[in-house]
Amino acid sequence: LQWINNENWNVLGITFNIFMDDYGANLNYETKIEEIEKLLTSWSFRNLTLLGKIAVIKSLAIPKLVHLFQTLPNPTNAQLTKLNTQLYKFIWNNKPDKISRKIIIRDIPEGGLRMCHIPSFVKSLKIMWLKSLLNCNYESDWKSLINVILPSLSEKNFWSLNQKSLHSFSSKINNPFWKDVINAWGDYIGDPLELMEFLHQPLWNNNFIKIANKPVYWKRWVDAEIFYIYDILKNDGSFLSYTEFSQKFNVRSNFIDYFSIVSAIPKSWTKTFKETLKNDPTYLTNPSNLSKFLASKDDSKSVYNNFIKRIVMPTIKSAEKWEKVLALNEKIQWRKIYGLPFSCVKETKIQCFQYKLLHRILPSNKFLYQIRYMDNPNCSFCGNEDETLEHLFFQCQHVFSLW
């Protein structure tokens, strides 16, 4: 047996140390973030468009972190902030952001440039562990280890829980990696809002179903395969009577236990069951969101796109400004307008020029005069009026021939 003398050592691309306070996460992330900073500095001397810079970030910078995101606990908030600051400084040439980050991460028809949103990207990679964990056709030693240290994670009904319950459970476990996986799935699945989500809610460890103000877990019922709310429902949306329940499930219980569970289910849910299932009982046979996810071919990209759609998009003030200054009364199809330059031309500089124009971040003489960069605000071509974007592209006599 030969002991390692160095404090750090490398296995499969991950650097470990003898302390392992954070599973080596801090050490690995800091190293890669420094590498990314050097990489972006070297590329910053090139005259790249916004699209070119985002391409560098997505093809050269982010891939340095993918392996760490997949195999280690999440980076700290301070590390994410540091990384985001580096990326956006690179995009905007070390100047303040000219377009909201919540907009630039969007798809092109929504006014964005598909910039990577790091927190959503990290979550999407963590969630993909779920498919491997619950895949019955895939066996591995790490799954056996999970069954020993965190047996609940191997149960499908556990992952059917809602965001509130999953976050509550994750706060009680010590393993930081699986804590992040649980929280990521909780953020993705959310809390139940509609009938199908109500029906497939587990009865156990559910923060929406409490007895004496605490979630419950009755092993006898679980052993009898009583997992979900729909297990104790009839086709018309009403709950089984205690007699019907006893006949359906061979489980040692009493009517007090049974009706305490039924009473703990939120009244708004039970009302929805009665109103909807009476007319359409087929809802009881529909698969859950978890089952759909496991059966689908969705990859981390699909999960990431779903996260992006949920981010509340701020109002694009430049669009409102264009409508105001051009007195556009009819409804403008901004999705088509944002997508037009990317479908009409292939030259990225022209695409980015039009993108900057639509977002009103091209510097006109009037703007440069207001920030005291120029001595006068007059148009560079006619010299008669203030050079605003509207004048420069629509009103100046020198552009009439274009229109």
Side-chain angles (χ1 to χ4, degrees), residues 84-140:
N84 263 324
T85 300
Q86 289 177 1
L87 300 182
Y88 282 96
K89 276 189 174 182
F90 174 66
I91 290 175
W92 301 114
N93 297 324
N94 290 316
K95 297 176 182 177
D97 296 1
K98 296 180 181 178
I99 299 174
S100 168
R101 295 181 184 183
K102 289 185 178 180
I103 292 176
I104 203 171
I105 63 172
R106 296 282 178 169
D107 201 358
I108 286 171
E110 296 176 312
L113 286 177
R114 302 192 188 115
M115 171 59 184
C116 182
H117 184 246
I118 303 297
S120 297
F121 183 65
V122 174
K123 289 178 185 177
S124 65
L125 293 175
K126 286 291 195 295
I127 285 174
M128 297 317 293
W129 280 92
L130 200 57
K131 285 200 170 186
S132 299
L133 179 63
L134 299 181
N135 185 352
C136 299
N137 299 321
Y138 168 68
E139 294 297 332
S140 183

Side-chain angles (χ1 to χ4, degrees), residues 235-382:
N235 288 343
D236 63 359
S238 61
F239 288 99
L240 298 170
S241 67
Y242 178 66
T243 303
E244 292 170 328
F245 169 78
S246 300
Q247 292 173 349
K248 182 177 179 180
F249 300 103
N250 184 22
V251 58
R252 183 166 58 86
S253 182
N254 57 64
F255 72 93
I256 295 178
D257 287 343
Y258 177 68
F259 284 109
S260 63
I261 282 289
V262 171
S263 301
I265 296 171
K267 297 295 185 289
S268 59
W269 298 8
T270 59
K271 182 180 178 182
T272 304
F273 299 152
K274 292 177 181 178
E275 291 175 350
T276 308
L277 295 179
K278 183 190 300 182
N279 301 319
D280 188 3
T282 57
Y283 278 101
L284 290 168
T285 59
N286 290 341
S288 66
N289 290 336
L290 175 63
S291 298
K292 291 177 183 177
F293 172 75
L294 296 176
S296 72
K297 295 182 179 180
D298 287 353
D299 54 11
S300 59
K301 183 178 181 180
S302 302
V303 175
Y304 171 81
N305 289 335
N306 283 330
F307 272 123
I308 295 300
K309 290 176 184 177
R310 297 178 190 183
I311 297 175
V312 178
M313 184 174 174
T315 303
I316 301 181
K317 295 181 180 179
S318 58
E320 294 182 342
K321 180 72 173 178
W322 279 119
E323 292 177 4
K324 181 179 179 180
V325 298
L326 297 179
L328 302 174
N329 297 321
E330 68 274 14
K331 187 175 181 180
I332 306 301
Q333 297 181 346
W334 282 105
R335 289 183 63 87
K336 288 186 177 181
I337 292 174
Y338 287 129
L340 192 61
F342 297 90
S343 60
C344 291
V345 296
K346 293 184 178 180
E347 175 58 51
T348 56
K349 290 189 176 181
I350 297 177
Q351 292 173 345
C352 287
F353 180 84
Q354 179 72 5
Y355 181 81
K356 290 180 178 181
L357 175 60
L358 290 173
H359 284 277
R360 301 182 65 88
I361 59 173
L362 287 176
S364 63
N365 284 353
K366 183 177 181 180
F367 171 77
L368 295 175
Y369 174 75
Q370 288 174 337
I371 63 173
R372 299 182 181 181
Y373 188 81
M374 294 189 68
D375 295 331
N376 73 78
N378 294 341
C379 176
S380 301
F381 297 98
C382 68

Side-chain angles (χ1 to χ4, degrees), residues 29 65-72 122 125-126 129 177 300:
Y29 285 123
L65 292 164
V66 171
H67 183 49
L68 303 186
F69 290 156
Q70 287 177 320
T71 55
L72 291 177
V122 174
L125 293 175
K126 286 291 195 295
W129 280 92
F177 177 82
S300 59

